[in-house]
Amino acid sequence: MQKLLRILVVLTTVIATSVWAQKPKASTRTARGSEDIGTVEVQGLNATPISITGSPELSELANLAFDMHGKYRRVSSGGAFELRFTSAGANQVRVDVLKGGQAVVSQTVGGTSTRNALFRAADVAVKATSGLNGWFASKLAFVSERSGKSEIFVSDVFLGEARQLTHDNAHALTPRWSPDGTKLLYTSFFKSGFPDIFLIDLRSQQRTTFLSLKGTNSGARYSPSGNQVAMVLSGEGNPEIYVSNAQGRQISRRTRTDGVESSPCFSPDGSQIVYAAEPGPQLYVMPAGGGSARRLGAGISSYCAEPDWSRGDPSKIAFTVRLGGAFQVAVLDLKTGISKRVSQAPRDAVEPTWLADGRHLIYTARAPNSRNLFILDTETGKAKRLGTVQAEKACAWGP
Amino acid sequence: MNHLSKKLCIVLVSAMVAFAGCTKKPKRPAPSDTVLGQGGAQSGLNVGGPESLGDASATGLAQREGVIEDENTIRGLLQPVYFDYDKSAIKEGERAKLQDAKAYLEKNPQYRLLLEGRCDWRGTAEYNMGLGDRRANAAKKYLQTLGVAPAKLETISKGDLEAKENGSDDEMAKDRRVDVVVLKK
């Protein structure tokens, strides 16, 4: 029986892989696993040729950023745009976007550091040349075991300027940003030994217990207004979705089932909550204030979990699917109702989190005893590894 | 960073001091250590949308009481309960282990049990937290049907956080379990 099951799993994997291989031409030239495939021109997908000039240390950073972005390919000259980055004083970077030698945008941008100012300036260039929201100046919160036990870190989107926030020596998971980027909610076994929800205020550098109720307290996420928090509590005997105010008070229940509910996430307008529920799990959406739930994105897999609703493109929900014996990231397009696999990780791609443009996302590449963060362009399938740090469970925040 | 770590140390030390004085009773976090304060979450219940809880006495939500301390636990004495893949039902063949656990509690009435639900690493972290929770609660419910008082039973989910990665099928099956841990305090 075990053998038969294993053969079935292998077969399913082969089928899933060959189905993928028959996708349209545009999707076949994708990054395979962790290989750095450099700059690839993807036919028919409008990669914009750009040249980057300016002071050497700034253009080097800009190269790193734009090489992560699937919308662009760098050329030495003769591109559609020239992007020039020059220093304009302490933590100030001037960006000039030139088309045919003529400046179309010139702006001086300040940041918390020169590096941060360069990323902000590069985001200005992205907006000016593509219309997309930039995400180079976004922040990441992530769980890393680089210190031995899982702790919460924040960094820029390229894992630079990383800061360790906790020294708890306890399991921690799912750090999530407040919409204004000043707070983090996360689950940790710190202090009580049970899974509780903690709040870190990044401005005051204070950490407080957000909820420590009987049972499991996990999966806390802010609403887009920051006034509400959705989470999973099991104190009434079963893991269910609850919503509280931003102080963890006025808790009210949203689901009532026999199965496991997990990973609630508000829609960008705050009116709905998407979550995963058994059997399956599968994705469901319900009014944020409570009411009946509707199943989403049926058909792609019997296991759909960890939904993340894009604020950059409200028609897209990224989630994790089991395909054969592996896990990959899929995107549901709410306009068509069609779910499509977007990642090609060699083992597993889990925990997707959208970046600000609704096109790129970050996922955790999971292999036995190894976790690495990747940036994925969901349109080209191009994936690039972020740093070499053993990191997992990231959540992005874009200004 | 240093600023924060110092503050965290202070919180940790004050928590330790606060706990040092009351080793006999179940340990509660000092009210000042929680944002909820002394009123607890109960005071905030029953305000909300159409799904909000109508009756406070009907809600099972309550402030956590006590903390787990390794020196107050006995692990490995009672047998773990194993589960099928993605399942949380207590299999018939596993029930004798919970009957043994009940017998142990009767012989040691001063002790309680911590039911610790776990999953294999093939899944997703947040869902597995829920699955571990369900497994622990299934064991709790079964013990209650045997007549064990709910006050004698604590549950916790470890999800897949301590699962063996890349183990054989047999090793993965061993991660789908509830550990029955004795709580001496």
Side-chain angles (χ1 to χ4, degrees):
Chain A
M1 187 59 192
Q2 283 271 344
K3 245 183 201 162
L4 181 65
L5 268 178
R6 226 175 292 161
I7 292 166
L8 268 175
V9 166
V10 170
L11 263 179
T12 323
T13 316
V14 170
I15 292 164
T17 314
S18 57
V19 165
W20 176 255
Q22 286 162 14
K23 289 270 163 167
K25 273 251 151 60
S27 306
T28 57
R29 298 184 60 175
T30 56
R32 283 270 165 194
S34 61
E35 281 171 57
D36 181 350
I37 55 166
T39 310
V40 173
E41 186 177 358
V42 184
Q43 297 297 331
L45 280 169
N46 264 342
T48 307
I50 51 164
S51 60
I52 292 172
T53 59
S55 51
E57 69 277 17
L58 291 180
S59 50
E60 194 182 320
L61 255 185
N63 289 349
L64 162 89
F66 281 93
D67 286 351
M68 286 283 184
H69 200 296
K71 176 74 183 165
Y72 299 96
R73 67 189 168 91
R74 279 197 297 123
V75 294
S76 49
S77 63
F81 297 97
E82 179 189 344
L83 313 181
R84 187 184 297 155
F85 298 97
T86 45
S87 178
N91 303 343
Q92 302 269 319
V93 170
R94 178 190 161 105
V95 55
D96 296 289
V97 178
L98 303 124
K99 192 176 172 88
Q102 299 293 308
V104 289
V105 170
S106 291
Q107 201 175 320
T108 298
V109 183
T112 54
S113 62
T114 305
R115 180 182 168 94
N116 178 251
L118 180 276
F119 289 145
R120 285 172 188 269
D123 281 341
V124 169
V126 167
K127 189 78 182 174
T129 55
S130 71
L132 294 170
N133 292 332
W135 45 261
F136 296 149
S138 293
K139 301 284 182 197
L140 292 185
F142 58 97
V143 178
S144 174
E145 294 182 5
R146 56 172 100 176
S147 64
K149 270 277 186 174
S150 59
E151 304 288 358
I152 306 290
F153 290 72
V154 290
S155 70
D156 66 37
V157 82
F158 303 108
L159 293 177
E161 300 187 328
R163 283 196 301 145
Q164 183 173 348
L165 295 182
T166 63
H167 298 78
D168 294 348
N169 197 31
H171 292 300
L173 55 167
T174 57
R176 303 289 189 187
W177 293 95
S178 62
D180 64 359
T182 63
K183 296 186 198 77
L184 288 173
L185 285 171
Y186 69 103
T187 298
S188 172
F189 288 69
F190 173 61
K191 205 147 84 173
S192 73
F194 290 91
D196 290 333
I197 299 170
F198 293 89
L199 171 77
I200 295 175
D201 186 322
L202 293 161
R203 285 175 305 191
S204 67
Q205 305 276 287
Q206 297 273 7
R207 185 257 305 275
T208 45
T209 304
F210 185 76
L211 272 185
S212 178
L213 302 175
K214 282 195 173 188
T216 298
N217 307 271
S218 68
R221 286 185 83 143
Y222 282 98
S223 66
S225 69
N227 294 332
Q228 289 186 302
V229 174
M231 66 202 123
V232 178
L233 305 175
S234 72
E236 294 190 86
N238 197 56
E240 305 278 358
I241 310 286
Y242 292 78
V243 173
S244 75
N245 67 12
Q247 287 73 46
R249 310 289 289 259
Q250 298 185 345
I251 304 167
S252 71
R253 186 163 161 174
R254 290 289 183 269
T255 58
R256 197 170 293 274
T257 67
D258 292 332
V260 172
E261 268 71 44
S262 61
S263 306
C265 172
F266 283 92
S267 61
D269 67 0
S271 70
Q272 297 177 86
I273 294 173
V274 63
Y275 61 98
E278 288 186 313
Q282 292 290 309
L283 301 188
Y284 289 82
V285 66
M286 70 184 308
S292 55
R294 176 168 62 86
R295 190 169 150 184
L296 283 180
I300 188 167
S301 168
S302 59
Y303 188 111
C304 300
E306 306 180 319
D308 188 41
W309 203 321
S310 169
R311 290 180 190 179
D313 181 349
S315 69
K316 287 179 183 166
I317 296 174
F319 56 107
T320 304
V321 291
R322 186 172 60 206
L323 295 172
F327 291 82
Q328 298 289 348
V329 176
V331 171
L332 165 64
D333 184 338
L334 292 166
K335 285 181 292 201
T336 62
I338 293 169
S339 297
K340 199 174 90 177
R341 170 184 174 173
V342 292
S343 71
Q344 291 288 311
R347 189 74 196 250
D348 297 333
V350 297
E351 290 156 13
T353 178
W354 284 108
L355 292 170
D357 60 0
R359 168 171 171 159
H360 294 79
L361 55 78
I362 291 178
Y363 68 79
T364 301
R366 184 176 69 178
N369 306 306
S370 152
R371 304 287 188 277
N372 282 288
L373 294 175
F374 277 71
I375 285 187
L376 170 74
D377 179 358
T378 60
E379 290 189 18
T380 63
K382 180 169 143 184
K384 289 237 180 181
R385 183 166 148 181
L386 285 173
T388 53
V389 169
Q390 178 97 342
E392 56 180 326
K393 292 158 193 149
C395 182
W397 174 76
Chain B
M1 184 174 80
N2 287 333
H3 193 54
L4 176 61
S5 64
K6 257 182 224 158
K7 290 221 162 130
L8 295 186
C9 280
I10 290 166
V11 169
L12 189 60
V13 168
S14 35
M16 283 159 62
V17 169
F19 290 149
C22 53
T23 45
K24 291 262 164 78
K25 282 179 279 181
K27 293 167 184 177
R28 292 165 190 272
S32 58
D33 282 345
T34 76
V35 289
L36 294 163
Q38 285 168 315
Q42 298 263 348
S43 58
L45 287 175
N46 309 326
V47 186
E51 284 282 309
S52 64
L53 302 161
D55 175 12
S57 63
T59 80
L61 290 176
Q63 274 290 80
R64 192 182 297 299
E65 292 176 19
V67 301
I68 301 172
E69 286 175 340
D70 287 345
E71 62 268 29
N72 294 330
T73 61
I74 307 173
R75 288 175 181 274
L77 181 69
L78 298 170
Q79 292 292 306
V81 178
Y82 294 108
F83 293 80
D84 285 338
Y85 181 71
D86 251 2
K87 292 287 187 292
S88 56
I90 309 284
K91 294 189 281 185
E92 206 160 331
E94 299 294 310
R95 291 176 186 169
K97 295 172 176 177
L98 290 171
Q99 286 152 11
D100 290 347
K102 183 204 174 199
Y104 179 84
L105 269 186
E106 282 166 353
K107 270 183 231 139
N108 300 276
Q110 74 278 27
Y111 292 168
R112 297 187 306 139
L113 296 181
L114 174 67
L115 304 163
E116 199 172 70
R118 295 169 179 273
C119 308
D120 68 47
W121 77 296
R122 303 303 297 158
T124 52
E126 288 186 69
Y127 171 71
N128 278 344
M129 281 299 292
L131 184 57
D133 208 292
R134 257 177 83 69
R135 285 175 174 165
N137 272 299
K140 182 181 177 181
K141 274 182 203 155
Y142 187 76
L143 282 165
Q144 284 179 245
T145 63
L146 297 178
V148 178
K152 288 279 185 188
L153 304 170
E154 284 282 351
T155 58
I156 186 173
S157 176
K158 285 286 181 84
D160 57 20
L161 291 166
E162 290 166 6
K164 182 179 169 63
E165 303 199 352
N166 214 27
S168 64
D169 286 355
D170 285 349
E171 286 170 316
M172 291 213 313
K174 289 218 161 67
D175 278 330
R176 301 193 279 270
R177 69 176 196 271
V178 167
D179 282 335
V180 184
V181 181
V182 177
L183 292 175
K184 293 191 282 182
K185 282 174 182 165

